Every structure is written in C-alpha cells, then in structure tokens.
Amino acid sequence: MKKLIAFVLSLMLVLTAVAALAETTETKGTLVMATNASFPPYEYYDGETIVGIDAEIAAAIAAYLGYDFRIDDMEFDSIIPAVDSGKADFGLAGMTVTEERMLQVDFSDSYATGVQVVIVKEGSPIASVDDLSAEGANYTIGVQLSTTGDLYCTWDLEDYGLATVNRYPNGNEAVQALLTGKVDCVVIDNEPAKAYVAANPGLKILETAYAIEDYAACFKKGNPLRDEFNTALNALIEDGTIPAIIEKYIPSEQKAEEPAAE
Ligand code: ARG
C-alpha cells in the first residue's frame, strides 16, 4: 500500500512538472479573427498582409492574453455566422453594436466610435441627410451589403418608397458605382469614407452625419473569451497601446474635422 501511495505521489509530481513545462513553452492556442478587409483604416490589404486598427488591436490583445493569432478575411455578412458556428473566435471589423446583432452575438466593450456619413459627387443636389428623404426625390443609394448603412437606408427610406438601395459586396464597389453614376450617393462609415474620397477626386462627404455608433468585437453568445478580451482591451487602452494604434491610423488633427450628427 505504501508503495502504491509513493508511486501515485511521484506520478502526480511528474505530471505537474510536465504541465508547468507545457505552460511556459506553449501559447494557449490560436485565436481566429473574422473580418472583411475592405474597410480602411480599420482593416485593409497592404500587399498580401491585412493591416489596420482592428488588425493591430487584435494582435496586441492576443499577445497580451498569450494566444497566437490569425485573421480570416470574408464577406462582411459572413462574420457573425463564422463566429456563431465557431469557425472564428471573434469578429473585429469596425462592427457597430446594434440591438438586432445583440440577439445573435455578444459584444465586447466598445473601442471606437463610428459615424455614418454620406458621400456625393461634387456639385450633387444632395446637400444634407434630410435631402435623401425629400418627397419625390427617389435617390439611389449605394451601401455595403448588411452594414448599418444598408440597414438604416433600407428601414428609413427604401421601406417607405422614398429611395432605392443598391447593395455592394464592399465599400469600394459602392464608391465606384457613385463615380460611374449608378448611384447618387453612398452611405458608409466616416473613416473609410475619408479614405475613399482621398483616393477618388470629385467626391465629397456631406457635413451632416446619418448616425453615430459604437464599434466592438463580437463573440459567440456565452463565449467566456469575451471577458478575457475585455480585460485585455481595457488594460491596453489604459496603458496607451490602443490609443497609439488609433493615433497611428487616424492622426488627431484629422479627427477634429469630423462632421456633426444631425
Ligand atoms: N460599422 C458598419 C457596420 O457595423 C460597417 C462595418 C463594415 N466593416 C467592414 N470591415 N467592412 O455595419
């Protein structure tokens, strides 16, 4: 009996040592981030690499928590299904927290503010957000499919017969449709809007904004990773890491020019 106890005890010691060794040499595994990398400056391609605010924040959070990390690029409306089915651990895509999405996923704390703005061609008769709902105007509005720009324009305008909404797989294609006259304006988030307008002469962003919103990461409902993520997110906001990432992509002189909400 004594021998057995001694054997069990030494076995336990060996196992503890092995576990401790594994902990110091291995990470906790790989976190997969789902995104749609056509959304500068949050996520976009620099050559073959996905860069941007979300890519860098996620890398910093994964490192803080001791995970390896990988980004999967997909259609924007595939992100929530990917998170829900466990194909991705979280979605980070300049995604707005909405009540409808909260029925499908859990959101982290917010890490940025988004503003839905209207891009028009220089000289456009559309001068404010209110012009979009003008009686009889029936403008055609370009949006990225399943984004809040799409949802607001559908619910506020198209559903009342006040406008037609054309949905594109990404913001860039919506902007190309504006340039070629297929749509009268594009409703999209402020920061990508600025990037698209800077890249395409002849476009401008209206001074009045459609809506102000919070960006957050999304998780499968009940996934405890959300709490770990929040701990890291808040620590990295506090220690200046995340503010520095945001400042790198959106310098503060630029932020002062943001349009005011209606
Ligand atoms: N903020 C908007 C939304 O949540 C648009 C986000 C689009 N993001 C992207 N990576 N394409 O619906």
Side-chain angles (χ1 to χ4, degrees):
M1 189 65 184
K2 264 194 195 153
K3 267 194 189 156
L4 185 65
I5 291 174
F7 174 74
V8 169
L9 281 178
S10 51
L11 190 69
M12 278 167 66
L13 264 178
V14 170
L15 286 179
T16 321
V18 168
L21 199 68
E23 223 164 23
T24 51
T25 53
E26 267 172 36
T27 69
K28 293 196 267 179
T30 300
L31 287 184
V32 179
M33 159 177 153
T35 200
N36 169 251
S38 64
F39 199 70
Y42 288 92
E43 43 268 330
Y44 58 100
Y45 279 91
D46 180 8
E48 303 273 278
T49 316
I50 297 172
V51 298
I53 295 172
D54 289 341
E56 289 201 27
I57 288 179
I61 288 176
Y64 182 94
L65 294 173
Y67 290 100
D68 286 326
F69 158 70
R70 181 180 95 221
I71 302 180
D72 269 6
D73 186 18
M74 59 189 72
E75 299 294 323
F76 184 72
D77 66 351
S78 299
I79 296 173
I80 287 182
V83 163
D84 198 39
S85 68
K87 263 192 228 142
D89 296 293
F90 64 97
L92 197 60
M95 188 182 282
T96 304
V97 178
T98 70
E99 279 179 22
E100 296 72 27
R101 289 174 182 160
M102 278 165 74
L103 298 174
Q104 300 173 276
V105 286
D106 287 343
F107 281 103
S108 71
D109 294 337
S110 179
Y111 64 95
T113 302
V115 185
Q116 292 297 313
V117 295
V118 185
I119 311 178
V120 293
K121 272 190 181 172
E122 302 272 5
S124 163
I126 304 169
S128 78
V129 167
D130 286 344
D131 289 348
L132 295 180
S133 51
E135 195 77 34
N138 199 18
Y139 289 117
T140 302
I141 305 171
V143 296
Q144 179 180 12
L145 176 70
S146 292
T147 59
T148 46
D150 178 7
L151 303 177
Y152 301 151
C153 292
T154 303
W155 296 336
D156 298 350
L157 303 167
E158 195 176 56
D159 285 355
Y160 292 94
L162 293 169
T164 306
V165 178
N166 283 5
R167 299 166 184 87
Y168 298 91
N170 58 62
N172 190 43
E173 284 182 45
V175 168
Q176 295 314 312
L178 175 61
L179 287 167
T180 54
K182 290 198 193 92
V183 299
D184 300 302
C185 66
V186 169
V187 174
I188 194 166
D189 304 52
N190 188 38
E191 290 305 329
K194 283 192 216 159
Y196 290 133
V197 167
N200 297 284
L203 301 181
K204 65 172 186 187
I205 299 173
L206 296 186
E207 306 248 308
T208 54
Y210 205 114
I212 305 216
E213 22 187 53
D214 290 322
Y215 290 169
C218 66
F219 298 82
K220 186 184 170 77
K221 276 205 159 294
N223 186 348
L225 177 65
R226 195 259 306 252
D227 298 336
E228 267 190 86
F229 188 99
N230 273 339
T231 305
L233 177 70
N234 291 313
L236 293 168
I237 289 173
E238 208 115 295
D239 78 0
T241 305
I242 289 178
I245 293 171
I246 295 174
E247 180 68 26
K248 172 176 156 191
Y249 288 94
I250 311 174
S252 21
E253 324 88 76
Q254 209 181 308
K255 275 187 214 150
E257 295 160 22
E258 255 161 41
E262 284 258 280

